[in-house]
Amino acid sequence: DAGVIQSPRHEVTEMGQEVTLRCKPISGHDYLFWYRQTMMRGLELLIYFNNNVPIDDSGMPEDRFSAKMPNASFSTLKIQPSEPRDSAVYFCASSLGRDRRATEAFFGQGTRLTVV
Amino acid sequence: QKEVEQNSGPLSVPEGAIASLNCTYSDRGSQSFFWYRQYSGKSPELIMFIYSNGDKEDGRFTAQLNKASQYVSLLIRDSQPSDSATYLCAVKATGFQKLVFGTGTRLLVSP
C-alpha cells in the first residue's frame, strides 16, 4: 500500500481565499483523522471519522473549517475564508480500529499551508 | 493543564549514551500510550506503544508506563546521531480511538 496520501504538499494562498486539502487513507482503514501542527500548539486533532461518519469535531477551530468524507477512500478539509493564523502543517492519518487498545495511526506526508 | 505534557527540550546526549524522554498525562481513563518520532519536515512515525504497567522493550527502545503516577517514558539505549528528532508522546482514552499528542521533546545526539 502507498500509505496515506495527501495533496497538495504545499499550498500558498492569499487571505480570504478558499483552501481545500485532500486525503486518501490506507485502504481498509476505518478511522481517519485530521491534525494541525504548529510550533506553538504542537499536533492538534481537528476532527476524526469512523466509517465515513464524523465522530468528534470538537477540535475544529471555528466555522471557517469544515471536513467531509464522502467515501472510504477520500476526505477533504476546507478552510473558507482562510486567514494568516491558519498557516500550519495539516496532517491526515488513518488507522484500523479492530484492536481497540493498539490504535496505530499512520500519517500522510502533510500539507504545508501558508496564508499571506 | 494540558492533557499530555512533555518537556520541549532540546535534550542533548552524546553518541552511545542513554536518552530518557518523559511524558505525563492528565486523564486517568487513558488506556494506551504511544511514542512517535518525527524528523524535521517529515510526518510522525510510530516507534512503539504500551498499555500495561511496567516496561516494554523493542531493540534499543524501552517504553515504561506507570499508570498510578500517570507517567510514561521512552529510553533509547546506545543513542545514535540518526536518533536526533522530535519525540511525540500520544495517549488514547478508553472508548475513544483518537490520539491526543504532547508537543514533543527534541532530542539531539552529538557524535
Side-chain angles (χ1 to χ4, degrees):
Chain A
D1 200 315
V4 177
I5 299 173
Q6 291 187 244
S7 64
R9 293 290 308 278
H10 302 274
E11 176 80 36
V12 180
T13 190
E14 292 185 347
M15 181 173 62
Q17 295 298 305
E18 177 179 297
V19 175
T20 299
L21 311 181
R22 298 173 175 80
C23 175
K24 177 178 171 23
I26 293 173
S27 177
H29 281 191
D30 51 353
Y31 283 86
L32 183 139
F33 307 84
W34 281 102
Y35 285 90
R36 176 173 69 176
Q37 188 174 40
T38 60
M39 289 291 293
M40 290 297 295
R41 300 174 68 89
L43 202 57
E44 302 174 280
L45 178 66
L46 301 177
I47 184 172
Y48 77 98
F49 296 82
N50 176 216
N51 292 324
N52 314 337
V53 177
I55 302 300
D56 183 352
D57 66 354
S58 60
M60 296 286 261
E62 48 198 275
D63 292 345
R64 298 185 296 107
F65 286 69
S66 63
K68 294 182 179 179
M69 192 165 186
N71 57 61
S73 59
F74 183 66
S75 177
T76 60
L77 178 68
K78 184 178 293 186
I79 308 172
Q80 165 64 18
S82 57
E83 297 182 2
R85 60 193 169 119
D86 302 331
S87 298
V89 180
Y90 290 80
F91 286 105
C92 175
S94 70
S95 70
L96 190 59
R98 184 172 53 209
D99 183 340
R100 302 197 70 78
R101 287 182 302 183
T103 305
E104 176 181 359
F106 293 85
F107 282 78
Q109 293 293 80
T111 295
R112 181 174 296 277
L113 173 65
T114 303
V115 183
V116 298
Chain B
Q1 181 187 7
K2 292 182 181 178
E3 293 184 66
V4 181
E5 297 212 41
Q6 297 180 255
N7 188 317
S8 61
L11 173 66
S12 296
V13 299
E15 183 174 358
I18 296 175
S20 178
L21 304 160
N22 304 314
C23 171
T24 59
Y25 59 95
S26 60
D27 183 1
R28 285 196 171 273
S30 299
Q31 181 183 40
S32 306
F33 307 85
F34 302 78
W35 283 100
Y36 280 77
R37 177 177 61 199
Q38 186 176 25
Y39 292 112
S40 180
K42 302 296 185 182
S43 57
E45 54 181 347
L46 182 70
I47 298 174
M48 61 191 307
F49 65 88
I50 186 169
Y51 46 75
S52 298
N53 274 327
D55 295 359
K56 179 181 179 183
E57 187 174 318
D58 184 359
R60 295 187 298 113
F61 299 96
T62 298
Q64 299 174 316
L65 175 61
N66 183 326
K67 289 187 178 179
S69 300
Q70 295 177 245
Y71 177 92
V72 59
S73 64
L74 178 70
L75 301 179
I76 306 174
R77 290 181 299 281
D78 189 23
S79 296
Q80 301 297 309
S82 58
D83 294 326
S84 298
T86 295
Y87 289 79
L88 301 167
C89 173
V91 173
K92 187 177 89 71
T94 304
F96 296 91
Q97 287 296 104
K98 68 180 183 180
L99 295 179
V100 178
F101 283 83
T103 52
T105 298
R106 186 172 168 221
L107 173 66
L108 297 175
V109 181
S110 53

